[in-house]
Amino acid sequence: MRYSSIILLASSATAFSLPDLSAIIPLFTRRDGGGGGDSGSGSSSGSGTCPSVWTNVSKELTTKFLSGGQCNPDARAAIRLIFHDCGSWNTAQGATGGCDGSLILAGELSRSENKGLAAIAGYVENMATKYNVGVADMIVFAGSHAIVTCPGGPQIRTYVGRKDSTTPAPDGLLPDVNAPAADLYKLFQDKGFNAVDLAALIGAHTTSNQFNFNTSAAAVGLPQDSTPGLWDVKFYSQTTNPPKGVLVLPSDAKLAVHPVVGKEFSGFVNNQGKWNGKFADAMGRMALHGSNGAQGLVDCTAALPGATNTKREMRGMPLFAPRH
């Protein structure tokens, strides 16, 4: 029996083992679009001791997500997966929906906005079965693990103990890559996020490559900043001044110049520490969507890799390491 008795814009999806890169699209999009700091505070503290199984899960995920000193396509897929499961939520749903595993368990993979997620979803579901834990918890833990596995990424406050759900999430709650900035801002406000949160969360596109937004031969596979294997702030400067080889998504371009969100967006340019802190806080709260805060959950943040480890990996990484 899976451990579920107690109880999200990012990146691109990919296959496991031998990635089907043609299926990758940027994270947290609808229709045809893309996908060190302190730990996120999330909400109130959980209770109990983290089951030791999550330490074993973490070791396996490190092998899966880290290649040549950089986070690879599997890591980017896991980041997109957590956004799409947890992000299909708004405050009106309260302690239901959100991070509940329905993306995998309720047939949501067939939705157009989730195109390209089937392979990583299959891997995550198999991991949940292998380690006898909940699918919802594995989605969240894998997403948090992938973020900190990327060199420079923050450690996100991560809880386990969710209840899996086979009830599909409401449609229309994920951002459309072609939507006006005002609509995107309102969509995130309905999820409990302010302008700072939104500007920080879309920075996860630093690890994104697009495959389905622009399907021209020259554009397929292009990243949203020049270092998709690293968790850095180049996305913020390169969205408004993209170098050759970087594709800017319409939603990112619009938010970068939005009168409210744009001010926060520009505040992250060349400011890694500020961004990591704001991102970790917002992501920690997203990972509790559909829960009553952290009540009844167990804090397993300590089972994740430490951010200091990824910094060491980055220092030892070849200057021109291959992208993944």
Side-chain angles (χ1 to χ4, degrees):
M1 178 178 180
R2 289 177 179 162
Y3 177 76
S4 57
S5 57
I6 318 177
I7 180 177
L8 175 127
L9 287 176
S11 151
S12 37
T14 183
F16 58 98
S17 298
L18 296 176
D20 176 12
L21 298 182
S22 64
I24 299 179
I25 58 176
L27 175 74
F28 220 16
T29 61
R30 290 184 53 76
R31 296 177 190 169
D32 63 349
D38 297 329
S39 298
S41 58
S43 184
S44 56
S45 299
S47 58
T49 302
C50 180
S52 59
V53 65
W54 290 102
T55 300
N56 296 328
V57 170
S58 185
K59 291 177 181 178
E60 184 165 341
L61 290 178
T62 295
T63 301
K64 182 71 173 176
F65 293 156
L66 191 66
S67 300
Q70 298 191 19
C71 56
N72 60 28
D74 292 317
R76 297 195 280 276
I79 296 171
R80 182 168 177 246
L81 195 71
I82 184 176
F83 270 100
H84 279 230
D85 192 41
C86 296
S88 295
W89 182 89
N90 56 23
T91 55
Q93 295 180 61
T96 60
C99 310
D100 61 3
S102 65
L103 177 61
I104 292 174
L105 300 172
E108 294 173 28
L109 290 169
S110 63
R111 297 179 180 179
S112 60
E113 62 264 33
N114 295 325
K115 185 176 182 181
L117 285 174
I120 191 64
Y123 171 77
V124 166
E125 186 173 17
N126 288 340
M127 285 283 287
T129 299
K130 176 179 179 179
Y131 288 99
N132 197 31
V133 299
V135 170
D137 283 341
M138 186 61 76
I139 290 173
V140 170
F141 191 87
S144 294
H145 192 293
I147 289 166
V148 77
T149 296
C150 292
Q155 193 180 71
I156 310 299
R157 184 80 66 185
T158 301
Y159 297 90
V160 301
R162 297 165 185 79
K163 293 179 181 178
D164 286 342
S165 175
T166 56
T167 301
D171 203 1
L173 295 181
L174 293 178
D176 182 341
V177 72
N178 293 306
D183 292 357
L184 296 170
Y185 185 25
K186 179 62 167 59
L187 184 72
F188 276 78
Q189 287 178 309
D190 290 344
K191 300 177 189 297
F193 295 123
N194 60 25
V196 177
D197 299 327
L198 173 52
L201 287 170
I202 63 173
H205 280 157
T206 183
T207 64
S208 174
N209 296 77
Q210 79 82 32
F211 284 78
N212 286 1
F213 166 68
N214 184 337
T215 58
S216 66
V220 168
L222 290 181
Q224 277 60 79
D225 80 13
S226 58
T227 54
L230 306 179
W231 189 271
D232 58 29
V233 290
K234 287 186 177 180
F235 166 80
Y236 289 99
S237 60
Q238 294 181 355
T239 293
T240 54
N241 187 25
K244 184 178 180 180
V246 168
L247 184 144
V248 176
L249 300 172
S251 53
D252 294 341
K254 294 171 186 176
L255 287 169
V257 296
H258 183 269
V260 179
V261 181
K263 292 179 181 178
E264 307 301 337
F265 190 100
S266 62
F268 294 131
V269 174
N270 298 324
N271 199 333
Q272 180 86 20
K274 177 183 178 181
W275 174 51
N276 271 0
K278 297 298 184 182
F279 178 90
D281 175 70
M283 194 68 212
R285 285 182 279 125
M286 179 180 282
L288 290 175
H289 280 176
S291 302
N292 185 16
Q295 184 176 341
L297 304 183
V298 177
D299 189 346
C300 280
T301 309
L304 295 169
T308 52
N309 290 336
T310 61
K311 290 176 183 177
R312 285 197 294 271
E313 288 159 2
M314 184 163 58
R315 285 197 296 269
M317 183 180 60
L319 182 60
F320 298 107
R323 291 177 182 173
H324 297 277

